[in-house]
Amino acid sequence: MEKLTKTQGSTPLPGVPTPEQLGKIGRYTRRAFAPEELYVFTAVLCDNQIDRDGERFSEDCLQQLAGLFVGVTGIFDHDPTAAGQHARIFETRVEADPAQPTNCGQPYTALKAEVYMLRTGASQGLMDEIEAGIKKEISISCAIGRSVCSVCGEKMGSCSHIPGKEYAGVPCHIVHQAATDAYEWSFVAVPAQRRAGVTKRAGSRPEAAVPGEAFLAVLGRKYLEQLRAECVRLNCIAVPELSRSQAESMAAGLDPEELEGCVRTLQKAAGRRIPLHPQLGAAPVSGEKDSSAFKI
Ligand SMILES: [Zn+2]
């Protein structure tokens, strides 16, 4: 093992595990390590803020993930071959900060992890970056068992609430209520590396209280998709002679305002054929398992 040189005068080495931490880490190592051989740091894995995709974890879900992520190893920049750049979570906790409200008015609550890695020449750069706050964005990969609408608590997609639309001052969003598995976690170096649509991440700090442009854009797209689906569905009821693909082609050519108008008209027309309860956003539920495993 290479000699450690990251000392400035009498400054103690950062990230040296306490005896208690060393004991917990010992459950995973095959030999005893001296504290100076290891580097520990705290990471925020995820929290209860509404994220850019209009989703958030419930506190119960964070508690479940806390149990699931103990012992899980992390990789860096999604590169499992990066030599010496492996780390393992040896302890987790869910920490609430009642003084800090989230963007939906709840006390900010985060799932924090204590992580250890080997101090080697290969990991020195990474440790420096963590210490300097350069490496702090983490993405987690887990399986979610149940997600519900934030407004009514019904299973997502089965109610008429519109994602992103404000109800009592809070945009309608998806609440993940149950986690069933934890796969991996990873430092991600460049925010742009985000795997579009499937990867979410929580930084070390909570996001701003106001939903960002990207968040609103995602919700806007979801709303538009739901409008199109509703337009097609109503068209098929109101005008049964029309094939589904014809209805889809028509809906694809309309802008949001035209779609809204079309849905209103078709609701009346369809209502004359069968009794309808005005419903928007009833996306077809194609089996629970479709969305049960994804990257956060
Ligand atoms: Zn709802």
Side-chain angles (χ1 to χ4, degrees):
M1 179 159 298
E2 292 181 39
K3 190 175 187 310
L4 297 165
T5 54
K6 190 180 158 34
T7 46
Q8 292 166 359
S10 58
T11 310
L13 213 54
V16 175
T18 63
E20 192 194 347
Q21 288 177 321
L22 206 57
K24 287 172 180 163
I25 292 167
R27 292 191 299 237
Y28 302 102
T29 61
R30 299 180 79 172
R31 69 165 173 90
F33 280 82
E36 298 77 22
E37 290 181 281
L38 301 173
Y39 172 72
V40 298
F41 61 95
T42 307
V44 174
L45 297 183
C46 53
D47 59 32
N48 64 338
Q49 297 263 35
I50 306 173
D51 68 17
R52 296 180 190 100
D53 292 338
E55 301 172 5
R56 73 174 177 87
F57 293 101
S58 71
E59 280 175 48
D60 283 349
C61 197
L62 290 175
Q63 292 286 0
Q64 289 164 353
L65 286 170
L68 292 166
F69 264 104
V70 177
V72 173
T73 50
I75 52 175
F76 295 89
D77 297 340
H78 298 293
D79 178 8
T81 63
Q85 302 206 342
H86 288 85
R88 188 189 293 275
I89 293 170
F90 65 94
E91 192 173 25
T92 56
R93 63 183 183 279
V94 175
E95 218 173 78
D97 182 0
Q100 197 182 2
T102 63
N103 48 13
C104 56
Q106 298 189 329
Y108 176 73
T109 307
L111 168 55
K112 294 186 175 179
E114 297 298 326
V115 185
Y116 79 90
M117 55 191 282
L118 271 176
R119 276 182 204 270
T120 63
S123 61
Q124 187 62 56
L126 180 63
M127 288 187 288
D128 287 343
E129 286 181 334
I130 293 169
E131 285 298 314
I134 294 166
K135 276 271 196 301
K136 62 182 182 181
E137 299 243 27
I138 283 181
S139 81
I140 62 167
S141 171
C142 63
I144 296 296
R146 179 175 158 81
S147 300
V148 300
C149 165
S150 64
V151 180
C152 64
E154 292 297 313
K155 201 173 133 191
M156 210 57 213
S158 67
C159 66
S160 59
H161 297 111
I162 301 159
K165 187 179 168 185
E166 287 206 357
Y167 296 86
V170 176
C172 173
H173 56 276
I174 295 168
V175 184
H176 299 310
Q177 285 202 317
T180 54
D181 209 349
Y183 303 128
E184 60 155 45
W185 59 274
S186 177
F187 268 110
V188 277
V190 189
Q193 237 178 15
R194 177 184 177 130
R195 290 179 223 159
V198 289
T199 299
K200 289 190 216 106
R201 68 174 68 93
S204 305
R205 290 179 302 140
E207 287 177 20
V210 179
E213 289 299 313
F215 169 74
L216 295 173
V218 169
L219 291 177
R221 278 200 298 277
K222 279 186 186 171
Y223 178 54
L224 192 59
E225 279 166 24
Q226 289 181 335
L227 264 181
R228 286 219 174 91
E230 183 67 351
C231 194
V232 170
R233 187 180 77 87
L234 290 168
N235 229 331
C236 292
I237 296 168
V239 193
E241 296 82 5
L242 207 65
S243 74
R244 188 169 185 89
S245 62
Q246 284 173 318
E248 280 169 352
S249 304
M250 280 173 62
L254 300 177
D255 68 26
E257 257 180 51
E258 291 168 331
L259 278 168
E260 280 175 336
C262 209
V263 163
R264 277 195 298 273
T265 308
L266 285 168
Q267 271 171 348
K268 286 181 200 149
R272 284 194 286 272
R273 289 187 171 269
I274 54 165
L276 280 181
H277 41 104
Q279 191 175 43
L280 188 62
V285 179
S286 53
E288 252 179 83
K289 284 188 175 160
D290 284 359
S291 61
S292 63
F294 54 91
K295 308 262 183 185
I296 299 292

